[in-house]
Amino acid sequence: MGEGGLQIISKKQKLNSRSSTEAELIGVDDAATQILWTKLFVEAQGYPVEENTLYQDNKSSILLEKNGRDSAGKRSRALNIRYFFMTDQVKKGNV
């Protein structure tokens, strides 16, 4: 495993979105299952996962993932609750 990433993905999104923040949340939600499965698989093989990192470049979506609805403004209040799954995973320390 060394220094590189275990899983690197680039693919087209399945949904249309109204903003770049919503698009980033959709992308994170799509990747979350693969990220968590890979973490559990590696740990089951006997290798501890000390840091599980997901890189993003949208500050608004990063804040929404860390703080949940608490950092949602007027324009982001209509986001679907399923996109806040990653907030729970950040609080649990999985990502």
Side-chain angles (χ1 to χ4, degrees), residues 2 5 18 24 38-39 47:
R18 292 180 283 176
E24 290 283 338
T38 304
K39 178 183 186 279
Y47 298 99

Side-chain angles (χ1 to χ4, degrees), residues 34-44 47 49 52 93-94:
Q34 294 173 342
I35 292 168
L36 296 174
W37 182 90
T38 304
K39 178 183 186 279
L40 293 173
F41 176 76
V42 170
E43 289 176 340
Y47 298 99
V49 177
N52 200 10
N94 290 329

Side-chain angles (χ1 to χ4, degrees), residues 7-25:
Q7 197 171 54
I8 299 171
I9 299 171
S10 176
K11 64 181 182 178
K12 199 173 195 179
Q13 282 188 348
K14 300 173 191 172
L15 297 172
N16 291 331
S17 62
R18 292 180 283 176
S19 68
S20 61
T21 300
E22 187 176 1
E24 290 283 338
L25 287 173

Side-chain angles (χ1 to χ4, degrees), residues 32-74:
T33 54
Q34 294 173 342
I35 292 168
L36 296 174
W37 182 90
T38 304
K39 178 183 186 279
L40 293 173
F41 176 76
V42 170
E43 289 176 340
Q45 301 303 312
Y47 298 99
V49 177
E50 296 171 7
E51 187 176 312
N52 200 10
T53 306
L54 172 69
Y55 291 104
Q56 275 188 267
D57 62 352
N58 189 306
K59 186 70 173 172
S60 297
S61 64
I62 292 169
L63 287 172
L64 284 169
E65 289 157 14
K66 285 185 180 177
N67 304 324
R69 292 240 185 236
D70 295 339
S71 63
K74 282 193 307 189

